[in-house]
């Protein structure tokens, strides 16, 4: 057996213990105290391994934890990325704390994605203990992935911290099939389109009004027509708001668009089109503002990503993990932020499980070991 796998096998119960410890702290995206508790546990583990830690304020949604393992001078770091927030409200741990039955782990965030952090940390620990680390390793752990980094500067923190990375792994979970890892993902953004019209009494002097709702209605038809499912582009007018009373011509109406795209070039084109629709009103004397509330870059399977996948696949077969398959998903992933910064990244290297964001969420305990060993072996071999 491979020395890394052998070492990690002896650490298996410690891996499960650390998983239990962080699962049993409620940490929904907006719970700064809960997030801080998880960060404290992770920081202690990072320091124990020999990593330096620091925190970066990300605004209203808490902070990002950065752990750095020094390496040989001149070598670019490997980046490991993950998030410590879950979608479950405070009190969930009390109702259904961490449980392990045979190989099945359950508890809030057990698939999405707290154990991924344990996988990353123990991979680093194995490299350190076996003196196999040449390259520096940087771990970026964020606190509001489940909110798509809305109202925070987490996006910028990831973009800045991953800069100059040699390659990266995102530690989100893999759905059911252990051979699957992620090489591409659509990107997403939320765009608020707000029409400003002119209010007037609809009974007394309707001719003075300019209806923001009527203008928005025209725009919604045009915005929806930007969807091109075959090209992987979708524009969903998911929320509309406007008007105050039946007898007032509404002076304000807004729609929030959920936009998905396959490439970042499509995103830029879409944004141009949305702005051009906003700039050419049907109802005269109305104006429209367009605001991108949040965005996640698409994760494109660039030649560098495909090369990284091929190398990982080779190591996986060498160390007895088995053949890997590159898959993609429809959901936006933080891995896209790294790929867009020219850091080739493979996604979904965390635990193997299913039913994210639901009470049935579960993950395989054995995958803590196999995934951690795969990552450590890869870093050791690639050097
Ligand atoms: Zn996640």
């Amino acid at each position: 057996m491979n020395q890394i796998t052998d070492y990690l096998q002896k650490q298996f119960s410690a891996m499960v213990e650390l998983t239990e410890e962080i699962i049993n702290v409620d940490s929904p995206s907006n719970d700064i105290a809960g997030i801080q508790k998880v960060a404290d546990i992770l920081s202690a583990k990072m320091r124990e391994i020999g990593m330096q830690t620091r925190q970066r304020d990300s605004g209203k949604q808490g902070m990002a934890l950065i752990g750095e393992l020094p390496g040989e001078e001149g070598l670019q770091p490997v980046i490991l990325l993950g998030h410590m927030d879950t979608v479950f409200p405070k009190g969930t741990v009390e109702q259904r704390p961490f449980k392990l039955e045979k190989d099945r782990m359950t508890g809030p965030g057990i698939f999405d994605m707290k154990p991924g952090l344990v996988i990353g940390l123990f991979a680093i620990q194995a490299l350190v203990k076996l003196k196999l680390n040449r390259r520096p390793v940087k771990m970026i752990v964020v606190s509001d992935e489940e909110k798509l980094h809305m109202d925070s500067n987490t996006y910028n923190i990831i973009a800045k911290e991953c800069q100059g990375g040699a390659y990266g792994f995102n530690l989100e979970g893999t759905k059911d099939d252990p051979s699957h890892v992620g090489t591409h993902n659509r990107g997403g953004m939320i765009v608020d389109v707000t029409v400003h019209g002119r209010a007037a009494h609809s009974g007394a002097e309707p001719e003075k009004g300019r209806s923001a709702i009527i203008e928005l209605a025209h725009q919604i038809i045009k915005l929806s027509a930007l969807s091109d499912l075959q090209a992987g582009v979708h524009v969903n007018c998911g929320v509309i708001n406007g008007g105050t009373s039946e007898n007032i011509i509404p002076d304000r109406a807004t729609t929030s668009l959920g936009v998905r795209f396959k490439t970042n070039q499509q995103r830029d084109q879409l944004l141009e089109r949305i702005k051009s629709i906003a700039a050419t009103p049907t109802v005269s004397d109305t104006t429209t503002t367009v605001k991108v509330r949040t965005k996640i870059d698409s994760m494109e399977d660039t030649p560098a990503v495909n090369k990284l996948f091929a190398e990982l696949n080779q190591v996986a077969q060498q160390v007895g993990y088995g053949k890997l398959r590159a898959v993609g998903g429809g959901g936006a992933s933080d891995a896209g932020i790294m790929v867009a910064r020219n850091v080739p990244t493979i996604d979904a290297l965390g635990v193997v499980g299913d039913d994210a964001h639901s009470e049935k969420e579960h993950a395989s305990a054995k995958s803590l070991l196999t995934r951690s060993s795969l990552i450590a072996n890869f870093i050791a071999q690639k050097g």
Side-chain angles (χ1 to χ4, degrees):
M1 191 188 297
N2 163 294
Q3 62 167 334
I4 291 174
T5 311
D6 193 30
Y7 172 80
L8 286 171
Q9 213 144 48
K10 289 180 194 132
Q11 296 296 319
F12 181 65
S13 55
M15 292 180 94
V16 174
E17 259 167 51
L18 183 59
T19 303
E20 174 167 14
E21 206 181 337
I22 54 175
I23 289 290
N24 283 346
V25 179
D26 284 315
S27 60
S29 314
N30 56 358
D31 178 3
I32 292 180
I35 296 279
Q36 186 63 55
K37 244 188 196 166
V38 177
D40 289 345
I41 298 169
L42 297 173
S43 303
K45 180 69 188 168
M46 284 174 173
R47 287 194 294 270
E48 181 197 310
I49 299 171
M51 299 172 85
Q52 287 140 13
T53 62
R54 60 193 157 89
Q55 288 192 9
R56 290 193 58 170
D57 186 358
S58 57
K60 274 188 243 164
Q61 298 284 354
M63 48 76 190
L65 170 65
I66 315 288
E68 284 168 294
L69 181 75
E72 280 174 25
E73 208 156 318
L75 287 180
Q76 296 168 286
V78 180
I79 313 284
L80 300 180
L81 178 64
H83 66 88
M84 53 194 153
D85 58 319
T86 76
V87 295
F88 301 102
K90 232 180 143 134
T92 308
V93 167
E94 206 179 355
Q95 286 166 18
R96 44 182 195 92
F98 174 87
K99 217 158 71 181
L100 173 62
E101 282 168 323
K102 287 190 184 142
D103 186 48
R104 188 185 169 94
M105 302 188 290
T106 49
I110 198 69
F111 175 48
D112 185 11
M113 61 141 277
K114 285 178 169 174
L117 304 170
V118 176
I119 286 173
L121 287 170
F122 275 83
I124 300 170
Q125 181 173 320
L127 292 168
V128 173
K129 295 285 178 195
L130 300 170
K131 300 194 169 45
L132 295 168
N133 66 310
R134 285 183 58 224
R135 211 172 263 287
V137 184
K138 188 192 267 193
M139 195 155 164
I140 306 170
V141 188
V142 302
S143 65
D144 61 343
E145 193 271 348
E146 299 296 358
K147 296 247 161 171
L148 292 176
H149 316 311
M150 237 180 279
D151 310 318
S152 81
N153 60 347
T154 304
Y155 175 95
N156 293 329
I157 292 177
I158 298 174
K160 262 241 166 75
E161 292 288 346
C162 78
Q163 208 77 256
Y167 58 89
F169 295 125
N170 192 24
L171 302 166
E172 292 278 2
T174 293
K175 227 176 134 162
D176 268 344
D177 189 331
S179 73
H180 288 184
V181 294
T183 55
H184 53 284
N185 238 318
R186 283 204 290 169
M189 61 182 168
I190 296 174
V191 183
D192 295 325
V193 175
T194 305
V195 179
H196 307 270
R198 195 191 299 151
H201 192 298
S202 66
E205 34 188 21
E207 69 286 354
K208 286 193 175 166
R210 297 289 182 271
S211 171
I213 288 181
I214 292 178
E215 172 55 28
L216 185 66
H218 283 289
Q219 290 194 24
I220 283 174
I221 302 295
K222 293 183 214 162
L223 292 166
S224 299
L226 294 175
S227 291
D228 179 349
L229 293 184
Q230 234 167 13
V233 169
H234 191 244
V235 178
N236 180 43
C237 296
V239 181
I240 56 169
N241 260 305
T244 48
S245 163
E246 288 77 3
N247 58 9
I248 299 172
I249 308 269
D251 66 346
R252 199 171 186 279
T254 179
T255 181
S256 293
L257 311 175
V259 182
R260 295 288 170 141
F261 44 87
K262 217 155 122 183
T263 69
N264 294 317
Q265 198 185 2
Q266 286 175 335
R267 174 198 60 205
D268 297 343
Q269 285 168 353
L270 272 168
L271 208 49
E272 281 313 305
R273 288 192 186 136
I274 292 169
K275 282 179 183 162
S276 119
I277 289 169
T280 46
T282 307
V283 177
S284 62
D285 302 332
T286 59
T287 56
T288 302
T289 53
V290 174
K291 189 179 166 238
V292 178
R293 210 191 314 155
T294 193
K295 67 170 195 283
I296 301 291
D297 297 312
S298 88
M299 182 189 179
E300 297 175 33
D301 45 1
T302 61
V305 169
N306 287 329
K307 182 168 170 269
L308 181 63
F309 170 75
E311 291 167 346
L312 184 67
N313 194 12
Q314 204 172 20
V315 172
Q317 288 167 73
Q318 262 172 35
V319 301
Y321 185 95
K323 224 175 171 172
L324 298 179
R325 253 186 68 200
V327 297
S333 155
D334 281 348
I337 304 175
M338 305 226 294
V339 175
R341 300 294 154 326
N342 293 320
V343 182
T345 302
I346 302 293
D347 199 1
L349 272 165
V351 269
V352 180
D354 204 356
D355 293 319
H357 299 194
S358 89
E359 274 185 26
K360 290 186 293 179
E361 187 186 23
H362 61 93
S364 149
K366 194 178 141 230
S367 68
L368 289 170
L369 177 66
T370 54
R371 285 295 176 97
S372 188
S373 169
L374 177 60
I375 292 171
N377 270 294
F378 183 81
I379 297 173
Q381 280 200 30
K382 181 147 168 108

